Amino acid sequence: MTTYHALRQVPAAAQYKEGDVLVLCGELFGRGYANGIVDEARKAGMTIIGTTVGRRDGDGTLRSLNGEELAEAEANIGGKIINIPLEAGFDMEPCGPDGRSIADQLKGVKPDDWEKVSFDWNQIEQARQQGARRFKANLGLVADELARLLPSGANVIFAHTMAGGIPRARIFMPLLNRVFKGQGERFLPSETFWKSDLGKLCKISFDDVTGDTFRYLIDATAGLRDKINGRYTAYGYHGCEVLIDGNYTWQSYTPYLQGWAKIRLEEIAEEAWKSGIKATVFNCPEILTNSSALFLGVENSLYMLLAALEKEAPGPAADGIRTACLALLADGITIDDLLTTAHDYLTDPLTVAGRDLSSWPQHNSLPLQELMLNSSAKLIAMNRNPKEIVCAVLSQEVFRGVGRLMFDFSWMPDAPVVWLNHDVIAKRLATV
């Protein structure tokens, strides 16, 4: 069990400067957590070096970015992209006697037949090893490029941004929609799915993409650490403390099936830390983004950030965020209405029953899922326009707070795993 270490106070400002470097291991798409640390690095005058997952051609061949794609990716991060494909995972690797990939094997499987799917696990392991070899070989080439690009003596943040790992087969999305968003007869218990062959495949893939790539990054850049002062950051999730009835209380989204892979990520950081390597996983608060839209209801606890801001940081920062949120609400709806509805969800006996950090992650139940989704619908309906919602404002603020906290903490890190809860996010947002 990972030691629970919550960051309670805003760390001192980092001393990164021009000539220091932020290296992103993973490609940025749209706005997400990683944009926060990129923004901080840019403000500090650091050089930003990105990577790419590459692209797949119509025949499935993995390739580097073409000229147009590369220009767009470099404009997105404001720096150089090392154009060597770092796609993680193994679902497209040929395996077995016929050389078909796992994705190919799953083509044509109908949603109603998902429980009949079975795998030759030796083939799965063969594909996993092939995918790992490909990834590590390309990561080695990236490290060779970095050896040429990184100035001697520079402070370097290696930011691991890889997550996910849902295999690329159509069968998964209708199933996962039932697991995460299903109600009534459409509900599929997460434990039932997780114990099936498709669920077991997902677990191996999540571990590989979300967790093991962090170890590969640390190992591949070992030779650079004599030349530079390197530290490693990664994005975790392991529940989050929010303000409930005056107290910061740990709670979590359920069912977070990627949770086991996030625990693996923490364990990799802890192993590295014991070897004297500055590697930290930052467990971040729940937000709602394009990539998290599958997990509708994950944002229910996000509204409580407004309460944390009032408690920790009354003044211009809290007032500005509150005003921006209020402007998005439908006529007659107040911030207190939002907080009351979110509070009702977080204090419902069904939700309270899941507040067990030691047994995280937990599987779902139909009553809990319906409570969560109905609460989410109520909260989103309080917005004037469903495309311009309070969650977007609060998510952006969390990006900013997390980015600054990670950036500053990484200068003199003191733990391999850190929780960034609503209290320290609020404190950070209130500090210029």
Side-chain angles (χ1 to χ4, degrees), residues 179-252:
V179 169
F180 297 118
K181 296 192 283 190
Q183 299 189 60
E185 293 183 357
R186 282 190 46 75
F187 173 72
L188 174 59
S190 59
E191 188 169 14
T192 300
F193 169 76
W194 202 235
K195 289 181 176 179
S196 71
D197 270 28
L198 287 175
K200 292 173 184 175
L201 175 66
C202 277
K203 183 185 188 309
I204 296 169
S205 187
F206 293 164
D207 285 348
D208 194 70
V209 174
T210 298
D212 292 344
T213 50
F214 193 38
R215 178 181 286 114
Y216 301 153
L217 170 64
I218 293 169
D219 291 346
T221 53
L224 302 175
R225 291 196 287 273
D226 290 335
K227 175 185 177 183
I228 54 132
N229 182 16
R231 59 269 284 165
Y232 300 80
T233 66
Y235 294 86
Y237 175 72
H238 200 139
C240 171
E241 288 181 20
V242 303
L243 192 61
I244 303 174
D245 294 329
N247 297 308
Y248 286 102
T249 304
W250 182 90
Q251 52 74 54
S252 170

Side-chain angles (χ1 to χ4, degrees), residues 129-204:
Q129 290 184 15
Q130 287 178 187
R133 282 195 295 270
R134 168 182 50 75
F135 183 86
K136 288 190 283 187
N138 283 359
L139 190 55
L141 296 175
V142 169
D144 291 342
E145 279 290 295
L146 288 172
R148 184 176 62 83
L149 295 170
L150 297 179
S152 181
N155 295 296
V156 180
I157 305 173
F158 295 96
H160 176 273
T161 67
M162 293 187 165
I166 298 172
R168 280 163 289 193
R170 290 182 179 179
I171 183 64
F172 283 102
M173 289 317 295
L175 286 177
L176 293 176
N177 272 315
R178 289 180 60 197
V179 169
F180 297 118
K181 296 192 283 190
Q183 299 189 60
E185 293 183 357
R186 282 190 46 75
F187 173 72
L188 174 59
S190 59
E191 188 169 14
T192 300
F193 169 76
W194 202 235
K195 289 181 176 179
S196 71
D197 270 28
L198 287 175
K200 292 173 184 175
L201 175 66
C202 277
K203 183 185 188 309
I204 296 169

